[in-house]
Amino acid sequence: MKRVRSRRRRRLRFRLLLRHAVLVVVLLAAGALMFVAAGMAPVAADAGHWPVTRVLLHSAMSRAVEVRAMKLRAPPLDDLALLQKGAGHYATACMDCHGAPGVPRRHVVRQMTPTPPFLPEKLGRMTPEELFWVVDHGIKYTAMPAWGTRGRGDEVWAMVAFLEQIEGMSPQRFRQLAYGVDGDDDSVLGDCARCHGRDGSGRGTDAFPRLAGQEGAYLLASLEAYASGKRRSGIMQPVAADLDEHERRAMAEHYAKQPAKAASVPVRAPAAAEAVARGRRLAERGNGMRRIPACAACHGPGAGPGERNRMYPRLDGQYAGYLALQLRLFRDGGRGGTRYAPIMERAAAGLSDRDI
Ligand code: HEC
Ligand code: HEC
Ligand code: HEC
């Protein structure tokens, strides 16, 4: 009898406690709502964060990035072509907020909360995998943007290769990587020239394709495809989207007029004779069993203007590493392109890494 009563009393006390707890939560929520409705929430960027908010947000961000980066593995990053690509895009898309060696941040960004760190001095101790994750996905509520397109990990790794070396990099070295010898007067061509050279011959590495002697129609359609996002590149997309139609046409015409120089392109490792013979066989005859068409049917050789379809790019004299990258992208569905791109996706579908 006594035990039953005490059990009932305990249950009653518990219910009372529960009711109080619910009441407190409801009151708090109502208070918060009134606080927000009355326009009292502290949103002013010039006030900065309270130290406790800053620490909480920053450690939440660091931990989230650390966990998500665990699945990644960095490829080898010590490569001049990757550095040029990363530095070139850094000057396009990151420098205004983060500054660069010898280049301060724009004044307005210093009024942002959180303030974008001056990366040449304050990159922090992030692993390459963590850097990759941050640059690929961006950080919510901070203005740190995501990469301009999905599925271009190769481009994001190039940025990581550059960020790995940004601390202590001299201003001269940065200028040389991001601008080359040709780039940076304030003209449109001066901007293209940073990466492609004024004469369209690129920068002597696999980083940037040679544009010289390509058909104007192909160049123009490719610029339009980048601008609309149909050809996926976080590096070319913002550049192409910034041009108006007249500028796109002028650039396409300029580069189409440049003489395509004789094909003497540095190849990373001299290709073995066996590989060259095999490539030649595929290019000339294809492989019917594996549904690989003869590349030469569309791409040349020596097919001059008028003989080759104006939408089929010329491949002779192009950088080997660029060709291999584009073939992998076509095969794996990551490239997109003009409305003729599906033709090429089909042509690349059967290629193995060795074929490429
Ligand atoms: C509109 C301004 C803006 C642009 C453009 C921008 N960022 Fe950021 N970025 C930020 C802000 C703000 C943070 C700070 C986030 C924080 O404090 O939690 C940040 C953080 C970072 C971090 C992490 C640094 C650290 O120590 O926590 C890296 C790395 C980074 N940005 C790289 C880049 C790269 C590479 C680009 C260009 C592709 C870029 N950012 C473009 C605003 C920007
Ligand atoms: C920061 C470096 C950079 C700048 C600046 C740049 N490009 Fe590019 N461009 C690239 C890269 C990298 C690619 C290859 C992207 C890919 O993988 O699709 C490319 C590809 C291209 C292509 C496609 C070539 C082909 O064979 O399919 C065209 C056309 C082009 N760029 C034109 C231009 C023009 C015109 C400008 C100036 C308005 C310009 N680019 C500025 C880096 C740059
Ligand atoms: C039926 C015609 C056709 C055949 C066959 C063909 N291609 Fe292509 N190729 C194209 C077209 C069209 C494009 C341009 C796609 C676009 O507009 O984005 C292209 C683009 C390319 C590019 C990208 C060039 C650049 O500047 O970005 C490479 C590399 C390439 N092809 C290699 C090959 C190889 C290797 C083969 C043989 C296995 C082959 N192609 C067979 C039509 C063809």
Side-chain angles (χ1 to χ4, degrees), residues 54-273:
R54 185 167 346 111
V55 169
L56 267 177
L57 283 179
H58 204 83
S59 36
M61 188 274 279
S62 303
R63 182 68 192 141
V65 170
E66 197 183 314
V67 168
R68 285 172 175 82
M70 279 174 190
K71 290 194 289 275
L72 302 168
R73 267 292 289 289
L77 295 173
D78 193 12
D79 179 300
L80 178 61
L82 291 180
L83 277 173
Q84 289 174 329
K85 224 185 225 196
H89 183 61
Y90 189 89
T92 310
C94 321
M95 194 166 77
D96 281 354
C97 277
H98 289 293
V103 186
R105 284 166 295 177
R106 289 241 177 161
H107 192 71
V108 297
V109 307
R110 294 189 228 167
Q111 323 300 326
M112 288 164 63
T113 297
T115 311
F118 182 60
L119 291 183
E121 280 170 12
K122 283 186 95 169
L123 188 52
R125 278 179 298 279
M126 298 173 92
T127 65
E129 289 81 7
E130 289 166 0
L131 283 173
F132 178 95
W133 198 91
V134 165
V135 175
D136 198 25
H137 295 279
I139 309 171
K140 249 186 220 178
Y141 309 127
T142 69
M144 170 60 202
W147 200 253
T149 182
R150 300 288 85 206
R152 286 304 304 264
D154 63 292
E155 292 184 334
V156 180
W157 284 122
M159 179 58 77
V160 173
F162 167 69
L163 290 176
E164 285 274 286
Q165 301 203 8
I166 195 174
E167 269 182 292
M169 181 181 279
S170 72
Q172 297 86 300
R173 170 90 170 134
F174 173 69
R175 284 202 64 77
Q176 190 188 34
L177 286 174
Y179 295 86
V181 288
D182 259 3
D184 193 35
D185 53 35
D186 278 333
S187 69
V188 175
L189 180 58
D191 193 41
C192 312
R194 295 197 289 126
C195 299
H196 296 290
R198 268 171 207 279
D199 64 357
S201 61
R203 296 269 307 272
T205 67
D206 296 325
F208 310 113
R210 167 176 295 205
L211 305 179
Q214 207 63 277
E215 291 285 351
Y218 171 76
L219 293 175
L220 179 60
S222 296
L223 286 171
E224 284 163 356
Y226 282 127
S228 70
K230 291 202 175 97
R231 181 164 171 187
R232 291 192 281 282
S233 163
I235 297 178
M236 267 309 292
Q237 202 264 342
V239 175
D242 257 3
L243 305 179
D244 62 33
E245 202 196 312
H246 170 77
E247 290 166 330
R248 267 180 226 142
R249 200 169 288 278
M251 288 306 109
E253 273 166 21
H254 167 79
Y255 282 120
K257 271 202 313 249
Q258 304 305 308
K261 299 209 186 94
S264 67
V265 190
V267 182
R268 237 174 251 221

Side-chain angles (χ1 to χ4, degrees), residues 1-17 19:
M1 191 64 186
K2 213 168 154 200
R3 216 192 295 147
V4 170
R5 209 182 306 143
S6 92
R7 210 191 292 156
R8 241 188 35 219
R9 206 178 312 139
R10 235 183 298 146
R11 214 182 297 152
L12 270 175
R13 213 184 305 147
F14 179 69
R15 262 198 226 149
L16 202 67
L17 207 73
R19 221 173 290 159

Side-chain angles (χ1 to χ4, degrees), residues 209-211 214 218-219 221-222 225-226 231 279 282-284 286 292-299 309 311-315 318-320 322-328 330 335-349 351 355-356:
R210 167 176 295 205
L211 305 179
Q214 207 63 277
Y218 171 76
L219 293 175
S222 296
Y226 282 127
R231 181 164 171 187
L282 275 177
E284 287 175 349
I292 299 171
C295 321
C298 296
H299 288 291
N309 183 317
M311 293 303 291
Y312 295 174
R314 64 186 301 165
L315 307 179
Q318 187 57 281
Y319 294 99
Y322 170 78
L323 294 175
L325 172 63
Q326 299 302 311
L327 285 172
R328 284 194 300 273
F330 275 126
R335 166 160 151 154
T338 73
R339 64 198 170 86
Y340 293 85
I343 299 179
M344 190 51 217
E345 276 161 15
R346 244 170 283 134
L351 296 176
D355 295 335
I356 287 176

